[in-house]
């Protein structure tokens, strides 16, 4: 406000021109006062001018009087009495002196009642300017009317009657309020000694009036009260506009804050966002409903603010809405019917609500509901903010969905990479199948995985692998390809996947043995094929609940099965190649051995012919010398040495001929106990000089059948081993010969064990005992065990050795129980 400028004379003239008390103050002192002011104080000019005016004011009113604006105070009169005045202070400027205060005083005792009320309401109107909210405007207005001696209340129209905002009982003459709203003027009720009511329209709304009542209220107050009501209405409008501006600014800040919250690198959970939304909207609870399946019923997927009881009550949206039912709804408040239903469902705890649809790609995706207690309705700003927040929520849900899908795809790729590494790192079909079954369970979140392999010769599917729980049992399952009721056989015949989301709805499936055993609820069956060749069938189940295997899951499973089938085909090819290489290596080794034996045989025959002729002459000469000479002493010893060494040389030649002589075993069914006993007797006869404490025993199981073998060759092999055993026990002991039937590989064989209690064979020499000409004995030829190994190989058997130094040695023969016999 601009401060007016006066000269000293003009200001004195202005003060003197007023009939009511006026004075000018500078620095707290009275600079000039008019006659009315001197009369009011009852003092002379010399007593007033130049003195402090606060000296004339009652001490308790001095601090309040120093403030600018209308004031009330009690002045101290010259006669000792007091006088109540109201002062209005205005700043002015005096030329040459500076600022001053122009004070207009009004003696209150001299004013009419209407003027007193007007003054009080004028002061209240000034206070309304500082009110920043609707609540503050109403509070100041009611306090001002109360200070003027009236009762007052703000009434809100509800149909044909009015309700008090503060909860007080409404007046009974509500039709007067309707007249005041329709005519736009103050309408007084019947005048009475008790109280006279008046309805004042606020001028800015057709739904609210100001009701005032007082004992001395009369139509003469109409203009003052009407003007005050309009001031209150204008203040309410200003407060609403300010609130809208503040709320708009706050809404933008809130939306920006929510957007930052949503755009975090790690998206928050829906519950965290709903909690933030509840705080921004001042809501008691926020509920998110979404369908579990397209066009399915909405179910509660996330919420904040509900305890267990209310969560159960509001688990489904009121009315059981589907997404299509909310497609036409934007952010709107609840209808009266919905609010009544909400109050009944929550026991009057919640009674106001708003709902907004959620869309994704233009299609309804769900519904969001915000709930408040009764008496807190949703305004337009609330609904706009709710609509914006719902879009941010949809963005958050999309981000979380995309993040989940990306994480799932990454996990699937990692699993596929792990499967690829595992299947390429091994070429064993059993290992590949076990890894694949466990992998498919993780990849598709299935309960179990079963893999059948196709047996083309028998035309059956054989259980080959399963996830860990049922692995041992499933290997015994066999399904015929002609089984019309088997889904696995059907998939194998048609070579295309079959999905069964709910087995309880498929006739006859619940009676199938495997379905009952595993309590399966859903099935996905896929063929295993490689290069148009059927490898087998993969069966995935879900024992928890019926399940729909979507197209993406089936395609992923088919791609995985293709990789598994290729790995199995490669492993089989490797096994076939390995077997071929093994057969080729065995044939080559046998051919080389035969060539070596032929060459060695030819050489042995020449050596034997050239050695045995001189040996015969030596034997005859030694015999003749023994007859001709009665040799004694050293001569006799030398003849003994000559005879012994000649005999050893003859044995070497004989063993060499036995080792190199090509022969084909004459296989005939033989009685095993008899063969063993003949060998034991022959070994005992050859070792007449052995320790008498050596015991030879035989033990043959009752289930041992007659076995096709060459009795003479097996007897020779056993004798060679028994002789070694006897020679290994110079201090005596037991040599056991045991025979029994045992499974070995994929067939049964005859197992013969020759165990002694001798000194054993050093660990470093065990691998050389079957080499020709290797021996640790002073008198040995080194061909005995080589001959044994060759005899067993010629019978298509196996020879094994176990030895513990100091405790004994065990030789094990394994001979086939069935093989073609030789012609007699």
């Amino acid at each position: 406000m601009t401060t007016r400028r006066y000269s000293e004379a003009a200001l004195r003239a202005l003060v003197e021109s007023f009939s009511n008390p006026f004075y000018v103050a500078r620095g707290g002192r009275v600079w000039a006062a008019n006659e009315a002011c001197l009369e009011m104080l009852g003092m002379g000019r010399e007593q007033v001018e130049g003195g402090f005016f606060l000296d004339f004011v009652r001490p308790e009113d001095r601090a309040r009087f120093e403030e600018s604006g209308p004031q009330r105070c009690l002045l101290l009169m010259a006669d000792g009495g007091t006088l109540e005045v109201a002062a209005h202070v205005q700043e002015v400027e005096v030329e040459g002196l500076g600022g001053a205060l122009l004070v207009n005083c009004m003696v209150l005792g001299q004013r009419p009642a209407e003027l007193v009320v007007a003054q009080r309401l004028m002061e209240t109107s000034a206070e309304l300017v500082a009110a920043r909210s609707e609540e503050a405007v109403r509070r100041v207005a009611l306090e001002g009317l109360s200070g003027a001696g009236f009762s007052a209340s703000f009434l809100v129209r509800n149909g044909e009657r009015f309700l008090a905002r503060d909860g007080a009982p409404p007046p009974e003459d509500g039709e007067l309020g309707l007249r005041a709203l329709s005519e736009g003027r103050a309408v007084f009720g019947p005048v009475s000694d008790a109280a006279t009511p008046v309805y004042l329209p606020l001028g800015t709304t057709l739904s609210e009036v100001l009701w005032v009542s007082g004992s001395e209220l009369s139509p003469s107050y109409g203009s003052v009260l009407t003007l005050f009501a309009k001031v209150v209405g204008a203040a309410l409008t200003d407060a609403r506009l300010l609130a809208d501006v503040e709320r708009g600014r706050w809404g933008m800040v809130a939306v920006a804050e929510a957007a930052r919250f949503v755009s975090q690198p790690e998206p928050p959970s829906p519950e965290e966002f709903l909690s933030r939304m509840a705080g921004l909207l001042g809501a008691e609870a926020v509920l998110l409903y979404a369908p579990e399946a397209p066009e399915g019923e909405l179910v509660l997927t996330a919420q904040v603010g509900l305890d267990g009881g209310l969560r159960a009550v509001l688990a489904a949206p009121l009315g059981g809405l589907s997404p299509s039912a909310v497609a036409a709804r934007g952010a709107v408040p609840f209808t009266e019917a919905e609010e009544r239903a909400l109050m009944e469902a929550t026991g009057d705890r919640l009674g106001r609500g708003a709902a907004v649809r959620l869309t994704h790609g233009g299609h309804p995706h769900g519904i969001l509901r915000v709930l408040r207690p009764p008496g807190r309705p949703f305004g337009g700003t609330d609904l706009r903010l709710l609509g914006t927040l719902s879009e941010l929520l949809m963005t958050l849900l999309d981000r979380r969905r995309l993040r989940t899908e990306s994480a799932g795809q990454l996990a699937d790729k990692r699993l596929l990479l792990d499967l690829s590494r595992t299947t390429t790192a091994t070429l064993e079909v059993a290992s590949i199948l076990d890894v694949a079954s466990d992998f498919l369970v993780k990849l598709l979140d299935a309960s179990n995985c079963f893999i059948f392999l196709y047996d083309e010769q028998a035309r059956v599917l054989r259980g080959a692998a399963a996830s860990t729980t049922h692995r041992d049992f499933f290997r015994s399952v066999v399904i015929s390809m002609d089984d019309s009721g088997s889904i696995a056989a059907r998939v194998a015949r048609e070579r295309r996947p079959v999905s069964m989301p709910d087995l309880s709805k498929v006739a006859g499936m619940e009676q199938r043995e495997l379905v009952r055993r595993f309590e399966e609820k859903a099935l996905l069956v896929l063929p295993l094929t490689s290069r148009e060749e059927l490898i087998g069938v993969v069966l995935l189940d879900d024992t928890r609940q019926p399940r729909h295997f979507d197209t993406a899951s089936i395609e992923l499973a088919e791609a995985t099965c293709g990789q598994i089938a290729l790995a199995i085909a490669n492993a089989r090819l490797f096994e076939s190649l390995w077997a071929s290489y093994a057969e080729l290596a065995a044939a080559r080794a046998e051919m080389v051995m035969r060539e070596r034996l032929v060459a060695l045989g030819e050489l042995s025959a020449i050596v034997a012919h050239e050695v045995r002729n001189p040996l015969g002459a030596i034997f005859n000469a030694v015999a003749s010398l023994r007859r001709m000479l009665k040799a004694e002493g050293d001569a006799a010893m030398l003849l003994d040495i000559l005879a012994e060494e000649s005999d050893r040389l003859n044995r070497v030649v004989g063993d060499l001929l036995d080792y190199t002589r090509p022969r084909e075993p004459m296989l005939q069914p033989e009685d095993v106990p008899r063969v063993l006993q003949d060998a034991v007797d022959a070994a005992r006869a050859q070792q007449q000089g052995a320790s008498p404490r050596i015991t030879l025993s035989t033990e043959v199981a009752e289930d041992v059948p007659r076995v096709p073998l060459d009795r003479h060759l097996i007897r020779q092999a056993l004798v060679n081993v028994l002789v070694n055993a006897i020679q290994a026990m110079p201090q005596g002991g037991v040599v056991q010969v045991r025979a029994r039937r045992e499974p070995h590989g994929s067939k049964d064989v005859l197992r013969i064990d020759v165990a002694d209690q001798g000194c054993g064979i050093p660990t470093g020499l065990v691998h050389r005992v079957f080499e020709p000409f290797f021996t640790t004995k002073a008198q040995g030829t080194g061909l005995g065990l080589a001959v044994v190994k060759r005899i067993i190989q010629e019978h298509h058997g196996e020879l094994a050795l176990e030895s513990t130094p100091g405790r004994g040695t065990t030789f094990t023969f394994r001979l086939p129980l069935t093989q073609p016999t030789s012609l007699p």
Side-chain angles (χ1 to χ4, degrees):
M1 180 182 294
T2 303
T3 303
R4 298 195 61 178
R5 186 180 183 88
Y6 296 91
S7 64
E8 292 186 28
L11 186 59
R12 285 186 178 276
L14 176 66
V15 170
E16 292 294 341
S17 65
F18 288 104
S19 61
N20 59 306
F22 258 85
Y23 71 92
V24 179
R26 290 186 68 255
R29 295 180 181 273
V30 178
W31 180 73
N34 64 1
E35 291 296 329
C37 182
L38 299 177
E39 292 178 5
M40 177 184 69
L41 294 176
M43 298 180 184
R45 186 175 299 275
E46 65 277 4
Q47 294 176 297
V48 176
E49 292 184 354
F52 288 100
F53 186 79
L54 291 181
D55 292 340
F56 307 118
V57 179
R58 194 174 61 168
E60 52 264 38
D61 289 341
R62 289 175 183 174
R64 187 162 57 88
F65 189 80
E66 290 177 345
E67 300 175 2
S68 62
Q71 302 292 333
R72 289 186 184 184
C73 63
L74 292 177
L75 296 181
L76 300 176
M77 310 302 294
D79 58 3
T82 60
L83 181 67
E84 183 180 8
V85 298
H88 183 271
V89 180
Q90 183 179 356
E91 293 182 4
V92 295
E93 185 175 350
V94 183
E95 295 178 355
L97 296 178
L101 297 178
L102 179 63
V103 183
N104 176 16
C105 298
M106 180 178 292
V107 179
L108 296 180
Q110 299 174 351
R111 296 179 302 169
E114 291 84 353
L115 187 58
V116 173
V117 170
Q119 179 67 27
R120 179 59 182 162
L121 295 182
M122 183 180 66
E123 296 174 359
T124 302
S125 298
E127 295 179 13
L128 288 175
V129 175
R132 307 287 294 178
S133 64
E134 290 187 55
E135 291 76 7
V137 169
R138 290 189 174 92
R139 175 178 53 78
V140 170
L142 295 178
E143 289 177 355
L145 290 169
S146 176
F150 302 126
S151 298
S153 179
F154 286 93
L155 303 181
V156 180
R157 181 177 178 178
N158 184 13
E160 297 299 319
R161 65 192 188 97
F162 286 87
L163 299 177
R165 278 187 174 274
D166 56 4
E172 297 181 356
D173 48 359
E175 66 277 1
L176 299 179
L178 296 177
R179 276 184 57 194
L181 288 175
S182 62
E183 298 176 6
R185 62 179 182 84
V187 176
F188 284 83
V191 178
S192 66
D193 295 336
T196 300
V198 60
Y199 293 83
L200 304 170
L202 298 178
T204 58
T205 176
L206 296 179
S207 61
E208 187 175 16
V209 297
L210 178 61
W211 175 81
V212 180
S213 177
S215 58
E216 299 180 358
L217 190 60
S218 65
S220 62
Y221 291 90
S223 59
V224 173
L225 293 176
T226 298
L227 179 60
F228 178 72
K230 290 182 179 180
V231 172
V232 172
L236 288 174
T237 300
D238 291 342
R240 291 191 186 102
L241 291 175
L242 181 62
D244 288 342
V245 171
E246 289 294 323
R247 191 165 183 81
R249 184 183 64 82
W250 173 85
M252 289 189 292
V253 173
V255 169
E257 180 185 354
R260 286 193 299 269
F261 185 64
V262 169
S263 61
Q264 297 179 71
E266 180 69 26
S269 67
E271 287 77 10
E272 290 175 323
F273 185 82
L274 295 184
S275 178
R276 183 68 60 92
M277 181 182 290
L280 294 176
L281 291 171
E284 186 79 9
V286 183
L287 298 84
L288 173 63
Y289 299 93
E292 291 183 334
E295 289 304 318
E297 289 294 320
L298 294 173
V299 296
L300 183 63
T301 57
Q303 63 85 25
V304 293
L306 297 182
D307 54 23
L310 289 183
R311 188 184 302 115
V313 171
L314 300 176
L318 304 175
L321 297 177
S322 65
S324 59
V326 299
R329 300 188 62 174
V332 294
F334 279 14
T335 63
E336 292 185 4
E338 287 175 324
E339 290 183 347
R340 285 195 300 270
L342 179 63
M343 293 185 67
E344 292 176 1
T346 61
D348 295 339
R349 174 179 166 183
L350 301 173
R352 294 284 185 156
V356 61
R357 65 186 175 122
L358 302 175
T359 59
H360 177 63
H363 301 286
H365 186 73
I367 186 171
L368 181 69
R369 292 194 165 186
V370 184
L371 308 180
R372 287 178 176 173
R376 295 190 58 193
F378 286 85
T381 305
D382 292 330
L383 296 177
R384 287 191 295 273
L385 180 58
L386 175 58
T388 303
L389 293 177
S390 68
E391 293 176 1
L392 288 176
L393 174 60
M394 200 64 241
T395 301
L396 171 64
L397 295 177
D398 284 345
R399 284 195 64 205
R400 290 184 62 85
R401 177 181 58 80
L402 293 174
R403 190 180 182 89
T404 301
E405 290 177 357
S406 299
Q409 292 174 357
L410 179 60
D412 292 345
K413 290 179 180 178
R414 285 177 176 172
L415 286 174
L416 289 172
L417 180 60
D418 290 342
L419 176 65
S420 177
R421 288 174 177 170
T422 304
T423 54
T424 54
T426 180
L427 289 171
E428 296 181 0
V429 174
S431 299
I432 292 174
L433 294 178
D434 288 343
V435 170
S437 57
D438 291 335
F439 169 81
L440 284 169
V441 168
K442 294 179 182 178
L443 183 64
L444 296 182
D445 188 27
S447 299
N448 300 297
C449 175
F450 307 100
I451 300 179
F452 295 92
L453 290 183
Y454 176 50
D455 186 340
E456 187 175 3
Q457 293 182 347
R459 281 191 55 78
V460 296
L461 296 172
R462 299 186 185 277
S467 46
T468 308
T469 309
H470 308 291
R471 187 161 291 168
D472 294 335
F473 161 77
F474 192 70
R475 288 193 175 99
S476 63
V477 175
V478 177
I479 297 178
S480 172
M481 287 286 288
D482 299 325
D483 187 348
S484 60
S486 170
I487 300 301
R490 173 180 148 197
V491 169
R493 291 192 302 268
E494 299 177 359
R495 301 191 184 185
R496 61 180 182 85
V498 172
S499 174
M500 292 187 171
D502 191 350
L503 294 181
S504 63
K505 297 180 180 179
V506 180
M509 284 302 299
E510 291 184 330
Q511 305 303 319
R512 300 291 296 183
E513 179 182 355
L514 295 181
V515 174
R516 291 200 314 271
R517 181 183 184 91
F518 303 130
E519 298 180 353
E520 295 170 325
K521 303 295 190 300
L523 279 179
L524 175 62
V525 190
L526 307 105
L528 279 175
T529 58
S530 177
R531 301 182 183 90
E532 303 301 325
E533 177 186 357
L534 179 64
I535 302 294
V537 172
V538 173
L539 187 149
L540 294 159
D541 69 13
D542 198 319
T543 61
R544 297 161 293 191
Q545 59 188 357
R547 174 182 175 182
H548 174 73
F549 292 93
D550 56 27
T551 303
S553 298
I554 296 176
E555 290 177 351
L556 181 60
E558 285 184 303
T560 306
C561 288
Q563 184 176 352
I564 295 170
L566 182 60
I568 294 173
N570 290 338
R572 286 180 172 178
L573 179 60
F574 177 79
E575 290 177 354
S576 176
L577 291 175
W578 183 260
S580 299
Y581 288 149
E583 292 177 2
L584 182 60
R588 181 177 178 277
E590 184 177 356
M591 183 177 66
V592 172
M593 180 61 71
R594 286 182 179 275
E595 292 294 334
R596 288 179 178 177
L597 290 176
V598 168
L600 186 58
E602 294 176 357
L603 178 61
S604 299
I606 295 172
V607 171
H609 180 269
E610 297 297 329
V611 172
R612 277 186 169 174
N613 287 336
L615 281 177
I618 293 173
F619 283 138
N620 291 334
V622 170
S624 298
L625 287 173
R626 287 184 189 278
R627 289 193 305 269
M628 293 169 60
L629 301 174
K630 300 295 184 178
E632 296 180 358
D634 291 341
M637 182 185 67
L638 291 173
L639 288 174
D640 290 341
I641 291 174
L642 183 59
E644 182 179 345
E645 291 301 319
S646 298
D647 184 61
R648 190 169 76 87
L649 184 57
N650 187 52
R651 289 199 310 273
V652 170
V653 173
D655 289 345
L656 183 60
L657 290 174
D658 287 339
Y659 180 71
T660 60
R661 183 182 299 116
R663 57 197 166 190
E664 189 70 26
M666 298 297 293
L667 303 180
Q668 296 294 332
E670 298 291 348
D671 185 36
V672 175
R674 180 180 174 184
V675 174
L676 298 184
Q677 191 60 48
D678 288 347
V680 169
D681 293 342
R684 187 182 287 114
Q686 290 185 20
Q687 300 295 316
Q688 293 295 335
S691 173
R693 289 179 294 180
I694 293 177
T695 303
L696 294 146
S697 66
T698 60
E699 179 184 345
V700 181
E702 295 181 356
D703 61 343
V704 173
R706 294 175 68 86
V707 179
L709 50 82
D710 189 317
R711 183 166 60 89
H712 298 289
L713 293 179
I714 294 299
R715 177 179 174 275
Q716 180 183 352
L718 289 171
V719 168
N720 288 356
V721 173
L722 287 168
V723 168
N724 281 350
I726 293 171
Q727 293 175 353
M729 297 187 300
Q731 305 301 323
V734 178
V735 179
Q736 293 182 330
V737 182
R738 301 183 296 269
R740 60 188 174 90
R741 181 176 184 166
E742 76 165 8
H744 183 67
S746 60
K747 56 186 178 180
D748 288 350
V749 298
L750 171 66
R751 173 172 175 162
I752 301 175
D753 293 323
V754 179
D756 63 53
Q757 298 174 339
C759 59
I761 302 172
T763 304
L765 301 178
V766 169
H767 68 287
R768 299 190 60 193
V769 296
F770 297 112
E771 295 179 5
F773 304 109
F774 174 79
T775 181
T776 59
K777 302 175 185 177
Q779 302 297 325
T781 64
L783 290 170
L785 292 180
V787 172
V788 171
K789 182 176 181 181
R790 184 178 175 193
I791 291 173
I792 299 302
Q793 289 177 343
E794 289 171 347
H795 280 74
H796 304 289
E798 296 179 7
L799 178 61
L801 167 64
E802 291 184 6
S803 183
T804 304
R807 299 183 60 181
T809 302
T810 300
F811 285 87
T812 300
F813 301 175
R814 289 187 174 89
L815 300 172
L817 290 178
T818 58
Q819 57 180 322
T821 58
S822 303
L823 296 175

